[in-house]
Amino acid sequence: MRAHGTQFGKAFLDCGALAAALKEKFKEDILSLEIRARGHDLWLEISAPSFRPFVENLFEYDFVNFHVISADDAGDNAALSYHLSIFQRNRGRRVGVTVTVKLPKNNLSIPSIFDLLPGSEYSEREIMEAFGVSFTPEKDGTGGGLSAAYTVPVGPIHAGLREPVTAWLELDGERVTGADVRPAIARMETETRVRDPIQAIYMAERICGTCSFSHVICLVRAIEDIARMEVPARGQYIRTIVLELERIHSHVLWSGDVCRVIGFDSAFHLAMRIREQVMDVLTGMTGNRVNRGVGAFGGVRCDVTPGLAKAVRGMIRYYRREFEPFREIVLNDPIVRARMRGVGVLTSDEAVRYSVTGPTARASGLRVDLRKSSPYEAYADIPVEPVVPQDFFGKAHGDALDRFAVRVQEVYQSLDIIEKALDSLPEGPFAAEQDPDKVMGCLKNADGTGWGIIEAPRGDNTHIVRLKAGDENVCRWKVRAPTCANAACWPLMFRGSELADAPLIINSIDPCIACMNRMPVKGNN
Amino acid sequence: MKIFDMLRVLPKSLWIMTCNSGSCNGCDTEIAAMFGPRYDIGRFGMKLVGTPRHADVLIVTGTVVKFMRDRLLRVCNQMPAPKFVVAVGDCGCSGEPLDGVIPVDVCVHGCPPRPEAIVDGMTKVVLKLESLRRSGFDESAWDAVR
């Protein structure tokens, strides 16, 4: 395993300092460099031979998190963009680094970074399939193949799974000795060549039914990034409120679902009852339960009226009263503890290495949270501390129980955030421009690539969007959902577990297969 | 629905299996809410089962992606007759119709449909079963009926 340096020591890591350090080291190999302050991002292009040393060099600063590879057509070349983040472990800062490499079309070959960042596996495979880029040296699938006599498939249709995933488990008696997981089953396309950005919002919403608003905000932020659009303060606060309501509904739904998986049906019903309150508030605010349709460029499409604010406060009171018993019942139950403790362990070193994100990473003891490390929307005014199990259990085990506890604790955190956002809700317009024609006029002239990255309920959600000036449609749109990063470490979690743990381990990262298999499909391929 | 029909729906108990064949999870969360206490499909004696061999009704969400097509057929063939298929959500009803893969009895439109709508769809399944029973249900003729 590669060690992570701490070159910046106690100093804050920021874009400018990092850019200067990289420029000094790589001089003319860096073909272009741009700092985007709004997203805390660094965009640079590097010559192909020094790509691999460049990525190796990034490990000197602090731990590197891999998001996604996006590819684009650039005349005689194919441009691969590696979207990475450097997290500063001790100071809770993050800098996004996008490294673009141009490869000639007659020789599409690039060194693989799988050995440095194993989380890049699915992305590399996808680019290989879609663009014909070869990654050297080539590798075979996750876990390096199976050898034992008994291999049991779990899924794609299984009582404990809500979505199609297949796990082939290699067994020695009841013990799992090896695992190969294939999540890429329900592969759907997000082909947007014929759609303009406003239509794309409604497609983004339907990427995932549980975290639909976070996908919308991610897309919207990526496009606002290109068009340099400003969002009024009230719009930012309303976005934050809806995002946090969505986080509550997602976490409560997952807690219920995982209880059902371990056979604790009454807790599932309890969770579903509690969840309906937040669905009511969301329905009141936006008119819909699931696909809310309130995201818009430069703001939102709904206001928080005093009546709604009162309803939200009522919901917060209800949760403080009713959610506590649920937490006590589940977390203090000796059977639940025995069932979930020590199942699906992921240590913090492995979590760093596999670029794990969100509550899964926090359950392994990493203090990573984009709401703190690169605050967006109203999080710049509302401080958020990452919830990690060592704060309330004393030690991070990185198992299913820790993941459960972290998510349950985050519900309380979200309640606090919503309350603070309601208290300091600024006056003014909730959208910069409400006329869609005027918004489209502004977006038509936008040109460039934008990166939207936010903390969705399951981890960091990444959208990369390319717009061309004069063309009203979206040119290219790459979605990387958090499950894509978290799913790569399933084989690690299966080590030493038993066959009966399989549904619990698969569910413990809150998988969303619908989110993760999104790629542009062209023609008949 | 007339009150007379409603009363007839109540004593029936269908066992339900859900199958996600490439949906976005939106319909699945609404189906989960349908089993929850507020919409409570348990009132009709209906419950969720984990295997097609125990199920009377198969709820399919989402479009049928290429990979899931054969698996969906296998699941449907494992169910004992009389069996019903409910397509939940616009994807399976009208987007890329599920009807071309397996025969569908009830379509519940919406993106996603509200839990009440899904409950309504389930009561329609019961009524369909009832009308079959009244017309003299013959198991051997089941395939011809469908």
Side-chain angles (χ1 to χ4, degrees), chain A residues 156-157 159 162-164 182 185-186 188 206-210 253 269 272-273 275-276 280 289-291 512 514, chain B residues 17 19-20 22-26 29-30 32-33 35 37-39 48 50 63 65 67-68 71 75 111-112 114-115:
Chain A
I157 296 165
R162 258 194 318 170
E163 282 182 279
R182 195 194 153 189
I185 283 172
M188 308 265 291
R206 280 152 182 84
I207 286 174
C208 172
T210 332
L253 176 70
H269 288 284
M272 292 314 288
R273 196 188 78 193
R275 175 175 168 268
E276 286 302 328
D280 283 351
R289 278 168 63 90
V290 174
N291 292 328
C512 182
Chain B
M17 169 163 175
C19 177
N20 177 338
S23 112
C24 73
N25 255 344
T29 56
E30 296 300 69
F35 286 105
R38 181 179 287 183
Y39 301 101
L48 190 63
T63 52
V65 294
F67 185 90
M68 288 299 285
R71 282 149 187 86
V75 166
C111 185
R114 291 181 66 88

Side-chain angles (χ1 to χ4, degrees), chain A residues 48-316:
Chain A
S50 50
F51 165 69
R52 169 90 197 190
F54 180 83
V55 176
E56 279 174 14
N57 180 58
L58 288 181
F59 285 79
E60 304 283 317
Y61 301 106
D62 213 327
F63 79 79
V64 181
N65 198 303
F66 171 85
H67 298 296
V68 75
I69 309 173
S70 68
D72 204 355
D73 196 347
D76 292 337
N77 299 315
L80 292 190
S81 298
Y82 284 70
H83 301 272
L84 310 164
S85 283
I86 302 178
F87 277 95
Q88 197 175 19
R89 202 181 305 221
N90 304 323
R91 308 299 294 249
R93 283 297 183 97
R94 165 197 166 266
V95 171
V97 182
T98 300
V99 193
T100 307
V101 192
K102 283 199 174 132
L103 301 174
K105 277 189 180 162
N106 52 16
N107 180 26
L108 288 172
S109 165
I110 192 166
S112 168
I113 55 165
F114 175 69
D115 54 327
L116 299 171
L117 293 159
S120 65
E121 187 189 351
Y122 290 130
S123 245
E124 285 191 354
R125 264 195 211 172
E126 194 171 88
I127 296 294
M128 192 163 69
E129 281 175 22
F131 291 86
V133 177
S134 65
F135 290 88
T136 49
E138 283 182 19
K139 66 210 170 275
D140 50 358
T142 323
L146 303 172
S147 57
Y150 291 102
T151 307
V152 176
V154 176
I157 296 165
H158 189 274
L161 303 176
R162 258 194 318 170
E163 282 182 279
V165 194
T166 318
W168 282 279
L169 302 177
E170 182 189 294
L171 295 181
D172 175 21
E174 283 285 305
R175 292 256 150 221
V176 178
T177 55
D180 190 1
V181 183
R182 195 194 153 189
I185 283 172
R187 180 164 273 184
M188 308 265 291
E189 58 174 305
T190 48
E191 176 58 69
T192 56
R193 284 188 181 282
V194 292
R195 289 185 172 83
D196 66 43
I198 291 182
Q199 289 170 326
I201 287 185
Y202 297 95
M203 272 194 86
E205 205 154 56
R206 280 152 182 84
I207 286 174
C208 172
T210 332
C211 48
S212 60
F213 196 66
S214 69
H215 276 287
V216 171
I217 293 302
C218 220
L219 171 81
V220 162
R221 281 183 63 83
I223 290 178
E224 283 168 359
D225 191 23
I226 307 169
R228 305 279 186 273
M229 238 183 211
E230 289 300 322
V231 183
R234 193 176 176 87
Q236 295 190 1
Y237 271 72
I238 295 173
R239 279 183 185 183
T240 308
I241 292 170
V242 180
L243 282 172
E244 289 304 324
L245 285 171
E246 188 173 81
R247 191 185 311 279
I248 294 176
H249 118 73
S250 173
H251 281 352
V252 175
L253 176 70
W254 176 84
S255 328
D257 207 50
V258 98
C259 287
R260 190 180 65 82
V261 166
I262 62 172
F264 196 171
D265 249 17
S266 48
F268 165 71
H269 288 284
L270 201 51
M272 292 314 288
R273 196 188 78 193
I274 298 169
R275 175 175 168 268
E276 286 302 328
Q277 297 294 323
V278 73
M279 298 311 275
D280 283 351
V281 169
L282 279 170
T283 315
M285 206 179 249
T286 66
N288 293 307
R289 278 168 63 90
V290 174
N291 292 328
R292 287 158 207 112
V294 291
F297 297 108
V300 282
R301 288 179 53 211
C302 71
D303 198 5
V304 176
T305 56
L308 272 174
K310 203 177 156 200
V312 177
R313 282 181 204 280
M315 181 218 91
I316 293 172

Side-chain angles (χ1 to χ4, degrees), chain B residues 27-53:
Chain B
C27 298
D28 300 71
T29 56
E30 296 300 69
I31 290 170
M34 179 182 80
F35 286 105
R38 181 179 287 183
Y39 301 101
D40 194 17
I41 196 138
R43 284 175 296 166
F44 304 108
M46 300 185 193
K47 71 165 191 173
L48 190 63
V49 291
T51 159
R53 290 172 203 281

